[in-house]
């Protein structure tokens, strides 16, 4: 199938080994994701050494499966795209080393893709795949909220002759929103990753029972020369950003912890963890119904209130940024974009404000390689290839 504009994408930045074949940056022929959730779940978070080992095990079968499902061979490809950062160094290196060797052996161009740009292209891929026939070039700038386990970033994404430019507009000063979901779920004895558990259990609680509040970030907090508190915060300067578009999710995590202690919910959380995950009688694959049977109303109300507050904060700052920048189009992407309440409330507010809002499909919201292949498509056309000494950049930033 020579000249069919086929890109093989490879993604291994965190705890998912993924490969996908995408045609013209718009048509997904295959997308295979091998999740390591079972490996990391018992630790309540990703263990970097285990992640690298699992990527090594999975990378060859996952790439083979992507080619088989797309019904093509390596010889049919036009390029190989791989995530080169940000992410876990050892995990990234597995994908990069494999992509490089395939590109070298097949004499194919290698394209390096920023994982965050990948997430943004998950939405664009989804939009393009829904359009039939000739694809009009994107011309309108969009405000992109990338909200995942490692990032909560706002970018202005501007298309210029088929390529995209990114300007950082806002970001978290500490934890990412997904990280807050994961930590709160862990505290409450729920599974990893925490987002999907909280998403499902929140439906059974009263979101207004605990009035969690986010305070406005003060200018001096980030201008006082304080070192950023997390690794992720090192990746981009924050001094010149509008404080109204800065996020902070470590406070709500502490507020939930206080609530748990005040209401003596810890013993119950421990027995919940035992009953659902670690105890001898724990089910092999606990369901939401199993979790519901081990949650009292106070805990369900706490979960619903936590989610309501986080979603409210994400909404408020995203729409404020869109308004301030005059953006009429908003893209929301990353693992947390799978959240039902986030989708519902953002959609309702966008409709009220007459703004165009897009999400990826649920499968494209969390880490996958179709978004990497899609992000590589404009680079293939512009012949922006990576050199043979491409390496992992764990704190790679996107845009300025
Ligand atoms: O994009 P992703 O797969 O990996 C990173 O790049 O981090 O995002 C994973 C994050 C985790 O923190 C997970 O708890 C969160 O996305 N997540 C959710 C939901 N599904 C996944 N958070 C809230 N609601 C969900 N339904
Ligand atoms: Zn991601």
């Amino acid at each position: 199938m020579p000249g069919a504009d086929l890109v093989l994408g490879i993604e291994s930045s965190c705890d998912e080994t993924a490969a996908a074949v995408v045609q013209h940056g718009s048509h997904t022929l295959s997308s295979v994701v091998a999740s390591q959730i079972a490996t990391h779940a018992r630790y309540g978070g990703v263990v970097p050494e285990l992640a690298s080992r699992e990527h090594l095990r999975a990378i060859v079968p996952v790439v083979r499966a992507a080619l088989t499902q797309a019904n093509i061979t390596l010889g049919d490809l036009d390029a190989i795209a791989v995530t080169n950062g940000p992410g876990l160094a050892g995990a990234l290196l597995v994908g990069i080393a494999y992509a490089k060797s395939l590109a070298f052996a097949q004499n194919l161009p290698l394209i390096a893709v920023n994982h965050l740009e990948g997430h943004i292209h998950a939405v664009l891929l989804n939009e393009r795949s829904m359009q039939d026939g000739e694809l009009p070039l994107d011309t309108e700038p969009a405000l992109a909220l990338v909200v995942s386990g490692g990032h909560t970033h706002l970018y202005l994404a501007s298309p210029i002759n088929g390529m995209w430019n990114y300007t950082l507009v806002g970001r978290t000063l500490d934890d990412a929103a997904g990280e807050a979901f994961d930590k709160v779920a862990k505290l409450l004895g729920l599974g990893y990753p925490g987002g999907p558990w909280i998403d499902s259990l929140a439906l059974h609680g009263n979101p207004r029972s605990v009035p969690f509040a986010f305070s406005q970030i003060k200018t001096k907090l980030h201008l006082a020369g304080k070192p950023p508190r997390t690794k992720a915060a090192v990746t981009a300067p924050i001094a010149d950003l509008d404080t109204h578009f800065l996020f902070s999710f470590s406070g709500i995590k502490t507020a939930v912890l206080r609530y748990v202690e005040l209401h003596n919910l810890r013993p119950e959380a421990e027995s919940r963890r035992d009953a659902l995950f670690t105890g001898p009688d724990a089910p092999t694959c606990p369901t939401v119904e199993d979790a519901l049977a081990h949650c009292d109303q106070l805990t369900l109300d706490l979960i619903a209130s936590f989610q309501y507050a986080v979603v409210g904060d994400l909404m408020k700052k995203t729409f404020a940024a869109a308004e301030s920048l005059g953006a009429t189009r908003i893209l929301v992407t990353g693992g947390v974009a799978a959240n039902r309440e986030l989708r519902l409330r953002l959609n309702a507010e966008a409709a009220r404000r007459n703004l165009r809002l897009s999400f990826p499909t649920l499968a494209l919201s969390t880490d996958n390689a179709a978004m990497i292949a899609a992000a590589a498509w404009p680079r293939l056309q512009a012949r922006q290839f990576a050199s043979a000494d491409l390496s992992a950049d764990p704190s790679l930033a996107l845009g300025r």
Side-chain angles (χ1 to χ4, degrees), residues 153-194:
H153 282 47
L154 280 167
Y155 294 99
L156 184 66
S158 314
I160 299 169
N161 302 327
M163 295 293 289
W164 289 82
N165 263 354
Y166 305 93
T167 309
L168 183 72
V169 175
R171 50 164 298 140
T172 179
L173 294 174
D174 40 55
D175 291 353
E179 207 176 340
F181 273 92
D182 294 339
K183 287 177 177 169
V184 165
K186 189 175 177 184
L187 177 71
L188 296 176
L190 298 169
Y192 173 83

Side-chain angles (χ1 to χ4, degrees), residues 115 119 148-150 178-179 181-182 193-196 199 334-336 338-339 365-367:
H115 182 80
H119 273 303
S148 69
E179 207 176 340
F181 273 92
D182 294 339
D199 186 346
V336 182
N339 187 272
S365 295
T366 47
D367 288 351

